[in-house]
CSV table of all heavy atoms in Angstrom, one decimal:
chain,number,residue,atom,x,y,z
A,1,ASP,N,0.8,-1.2,0.0
A,1,ASP,CA,0.0,0.0,0.0
A,1,ASP,C,0.9,1.3,0.0
A,1,ASP,O,0.6,2.2,-0.7
A,1,ASP,CB,-0.9,0.0,1.2
A,1,ASP,CG,-2.0,-1.1,1.1
A,1,ASP,OD1,-2.2,-1.6,0.0
A,1,ASP,OD2,-2.5,-1.5,2.2
A,2,LYS,N,2.0,1.3,0.8
A,2,LYS,CA,2.9,2.4,0.8
A,2,LYS,C,3.5,2.7,-0.6
A,2,LYS,O,3.6,3.8,-1.0
A,2,LYS,CB,4.0,2.2,1.8
A,2,LYS,CG,3.6,2.6,3.2
A,2,LYS,CD,4.8,2.5,4.1
A,2,LYS,CE,4.5,2.8,5.5
A,2,LYS,NZ,5.6,2.7,6.4
A,3,LYS,N,3.9,1.6,-1.2
A,3,LYS,CA,4.5,1.7,-2.5
A,3,LYS,C,3.5,2.3,-3.6
A,3,LYS,O,3.9,3.1,-4.4
A,3,LYS,CB,5.0,0.3,-3.0
A,3,LYS,CG,5.8,0.3,-4.3
A,3,LYS,CD,6.3,-1.0,-4.6
A,3,LYS,CE,7.1,-1.0,-5.9
A,3,LYS,NZ,7.6,-2.4,-6.2
A,4,ILE,N,2.2,1.8,-3.5
A,4,ILE,CA,1.2,2.4,-4.4
A,4,ILE,C,1.0,3.8,-4.2
A,4,ILE,O,0.9,4.6,-5.1
A,4,ILE,CB,-0.1,1.5,-4.3
A,4,ILE,CG1,0.1,0.1,-4.8
A,4,ILE,CG2,-1.2,2.2,-5.0
A,4,ILE,CD1,-1.1,-0.8,-4.6
A,5,LYS,N,0.9,4.2,-2.9
A,5,LYS,CA,0.7,5.6,-2.6
A,5,LYS,C,1.8,6.5,-3.0
A,5,LYS,O,1.6,7.6,-3.5
A,5,LYS,CB,0.4,5.8,-1.1
A,5,LYS,CG,-0.9,5.2,-0.6
A,5,LYS,CD,-1.0,5.4,0.9
A,5,LYS,CE,-2.3,4.8,1.5
A,5,LYS,NZ,-2.4,5.0,2.9
A,6,LYS,N,3.1,6.0,-2.9
A,6,LYS,CA,4.2,6.7,-3.3
A,6,LYS,C,4.3,6.9,-4.8
A,6,LYS,O,4.6,8.0,-5.3
A,6,LYS,CB,5.5,6.0,-2.8
A,6,LYS,CG,6.8,6.8,-3.1
A,6,LYS,CD,7.9,6.1,-2.5
A,6,LYS,CE,9.2,6.9,-2.7
A,6,LYS,NZ,10.4,6.2,-2.2
A,7,GLU,N,3.8,5.9,-5.5
A,7,GLU,CA,3.8,6.0,-7.0
A,7,GLU,C,2.7,6.9,-7.5
A,7,GLU,O,2.9,7.6,-8.5
A,7,GLU,CB,3.6,4.6,-7.6
A,7,GLU,CG,4.8,3.7,-7.4
A,7,GLU,CD,4.6,2.3,-7.9
A,7,GLU,OE1,3.4,2.0,-8.3
A,7,GLU,OE2,5.5,1.5,-8.0
A,8,ASP,N,1.6,6.9,-6.8
A,8,ASP,CA,0.5,7.8,-7.2
A,8,ASP,C,0.7,9.3,-6.8
A,8,ASP,O,0.1,10.1,-7.4
A,8,ASP,CB,-0.8,7.3,-6.5
A,8,ASP,CG,-1.2,6.0,-7.0
A,8,ASP,OD1,-0.7,5.6,-8.1
A,8,ASP,OD2,-2.0,5.3,-6.4
A,9,SER,N,1.6,9.6,-5.8
A,9,SER,CA,1.8,10.9,-5.4
A,9,SER,C,2.6,11.7,-6.4
A,9,SER,O,3.6,11.2,-6.9
A,9,SER,CB,2.5,11.0,-4.1
A,9,SER,OG,3.8,10.4,-4.2
A,10,PRO,N,2.1,12.9,-6.9
A,10,PRO,CA,2.9,13.7,-7.9
A,10,PRO,C,4.2,14.2,-7.3
A,10,PRO,O,4.3,14.5,-6.2
A,10,PRO,CB,1.9,14.8,-8.2
A,10,PRO,CG,1.1,15.0,-7.0
A,10,PRO,CD,0.9,13.6,-6.4
A,11,SER,N,5.1,14.2,-8.2
A,11,SER,CA,6.5,14.7,-7.8
A,11,SER,C,6.6,16.1,-8.3
A,11,SER,O,6.3,16.5,-9.4
A,11,SER,CB,7.6,13.8,-8.4
A,11,SER,OG,7.5,13.8,-9.8
A,12,VAL,N,7.1,17.0,-7.5
A,12,VAL,CA,7.3,18.4,-7.8
A,12,VAL,C,8.6,18.6,-8.6
A,12,VAL,O,9.6,18.0,-8.2
A,12,VAL,CB,7.3,19.3,-6.5
A,12,VAL,CG1,7.5,20.8,-6.9
A,12,VAL,CG2,6.1,19.1,-5.7
A,13,VAL,N,8.5,19.3,-9.7
A,13,VAL,CA,9.7,19.5,-10.6
A,13,VAL,C,10.2,20.9,-10.4
A,13,VAL,O,9.5,21.8,-10.4
A,13,VAL,CB,9.3,19.2,-12.0
A,13,VAL,CG1,10.5,19.4,-12.9
A,13,VAL,CG2,8.8,17.8,-12.2
A,14,VAL,N,11.5,21.0,-10.1
A,14,VAL,CA,12.1,22.3,-9.9
A,14,VAL,C,13.0,22.6,-11.1
A,14,VAL,O,13.9,21.7,-11.5
A,14,VAL,CB,12.9,22.3,-8.6
A,14,VAL,CG1,13.6,23.7,-8.4
A,14,VAL,CG2,12.1,22.0,-7.5
A,15,SER,N,12.9,23.7,-11.7
A,15,SER,CA,13.7,24.1,-12.9
A,15,SER,C,14.9,24.9,-12.4
A,15,SER,O,14.8,25.7,-11.5
A,15,SER,CB,12.9,25.0,-13.8
A,15,SER,OG,13.6,25.4,-14.9
A,16,SER,N,16.0,24.6,-13.1
A,16,SER,CA,17.3,25.3,-12.7
A,16,SER,C,17.2,26.7,-13.3
A,16,SER,O,16.4,27.1,-14.1
A,16,SER,CB,18.5,24.5,-13.2
A,16,SER,OG,18.4,24.5,-14.7
A,17,SER,N,18.2,27.5,-12.9
A,17,SER,CA,18.2,28.9,-13.4
A,17,SER,C,18.4,29.0,-14.9
A,17,SER,O,17.9,29.9,-15.5
A,17,SER,CB,19.4,29.7,-12.6
A,17,SER,OG,20.6,29.0,-12.9
A,18,SER,N,19.2,28.1,-15.5
A,18,SER,CA,19.4,28.2,-16.9
A,18,SER,C,18.2,27.6,-17.7
A,18,SER,O,18.1,27.9,-18.9
A,18,SER,CB,20.7,27.4,-17.3
A,18,SER,OG,20.5,26.1,-16.9
A,19,GLY,N,17.4,26.8,-17.0
A,19,GLY,CA,16.2,26.2,-17.7
A,19,GLY,C,16.5,25.1,-18.6
A,19,GLY,O,15.7,24.5,-19.3
A,20,SER,N,17.8,24.6,-18.5
A,20,SER,CA,18.2,23.5,-19.4
A,20,SER,C,18.0,22.1,-18.8
A,20,SER,O,18.0,21.2,-19.5
A,20,SER,CB,19.7,23.7,-19.8
A,20,SER,OG,20.5,23.6,-18.6
A,21,SER,N,17.8,22.0,-17.5
A,21,SER,CA,17.7,20.7,-16.8
A,21,SER,C,16.6,20.8,-15.8
A,21,SER,O,16.3,21.9,-15.2
A,21,SER,CB,19.0,20.3,-16.2
A,21,SER,OG,19.3,21.2,-15.2
A,22,LEU,N,15.8,19.7,-15.6
A,22,LEU,CA,14.8,19.6,-14.6
A,22,LEU,C,15.1,18.6,-13.6
A,22,LEU,O,15.7,17.5,-13.9
A,22,LEU,CB,13.5,19.2,-15.3
A,22,LEU,CG,13.0,20.2,-16.4
A,22,LEU,CD1,11.7,19.6,-17.1
A,22,LEU,CD2,12.7,21.5,-15.8
A,23,THR,N,14.8,18.8,-12.3
A,23,THR,CA,15.2,18.0,-11.2
A,23,THR,C,14.0,17.7,-10.4
A,23,THR,O,13.3,18.7,-10.0
A,23,THR,CB,16.3,18.6,-10.4
A,23,THR,OG1,17.4,18.9,-11.2
A,23,THR,CG2,16.8,17.6,-9.3
A,24,LYS,N,13.7,16.5,-10.0
A,24,LYS,CA,12.6,16.1,-9.1
A,24,LYS,C,13.1,16.4,-7.7
A,24,LYS,O,14.2,16.2,-7.3
A,24,LYS,CB,12.3,14.7,-9.2
A,24,LYS,CG,11.6,14.3,-10.6
A,24,LYS,CD,11.2,12.9,-10.6
A,24,LYS,CE,10.4,12.6,-11.9
A,24,LYS,NZ,10.0,11.1,-11.9
A,25,VAL,N,12.1,16.9,-6.9
A,25,VAL,CA,12.3,17.2,-5.5
A,25,VAL,C,12.7,15.9,-4.7
A,25,VAL,O,13.5,15.9,-3.8
A,25,VAL,CB,11.1,17.9,-4.9
A,25,VAL,CG1,11.3,18.1,-3.4
A,25,VAL,CG2,10.9,19.3,-5.5
A,26,SER,N,12.1,14.8,-5.1
A,26,SER,CA,12.3,13.6,-4.4
A,26,SER,C,13.8,13.1,-4.6
A,26,SER,O,14.3,12.3,-3.8
A,26,SER,CB,11.4,12.5,-4.9
A,26,SER,OG,11.5,12.3,-6.3
A,27,GLU,N,14.4,13.6,-5.7
A,27,GLU,CA,15.8,13.2,-6.0
A,27,GLU,C,16.8,14.1,-5.3
A,27,GLU,O,18.0,13.8,-5.3
A,27,GLU,CB,16.1,13.2,-7.5
A,27,GLU,CG,15.2,12.1,-8.2
A,27,GLU,CD,15.5,12.1,-9.7
A,27,GLU,OE1,16.3,13.0,-10.2
A,27,GLU,OE2,15.0,11.3,-10.4
A,28,LEU,N,16.4,15.2,-4.7
A,28,LEU,CA,17.3,16.1,-4.1
A,28,LEU,C,17.8,15.5,-2.8
A,28,LEU,O,17.1,14.9,-2.0
A,28,LEU,CB,16.6,17.4,-3.7
A,28,LEU,CG,16.2,18.3,-4.9
A,28,LEU,CD1,15.4,19.5,-4.4
A,28,LEU,CD2,17.4,18.8,-5.7
């Protein structure tokens, strides 16, 4: 159940200052 909830939860995407790369908050 935890795994399903984690997969269903949207991940926030943060854009860098140059705008050339996107990074997920969960990967920070």
Side-chain angles (χ1 to χ4, degrees):
D1 293 341
K2 274 186 182 179
K3 187 176 181 182
I4 293 175
K5 290 180 181 179
K6 186 176 181 181
E7 291 175 353
D8 292 342
S9 61
S11 57
V12 181
V13 178
V14 179
S15 176
S16 63
S17 60
S18 63
S20 60
S21 62
L22 299 177
T23 307
K24 291 184 178 180
V25 173
S26 59
E27 293 179 357
L28 293 175

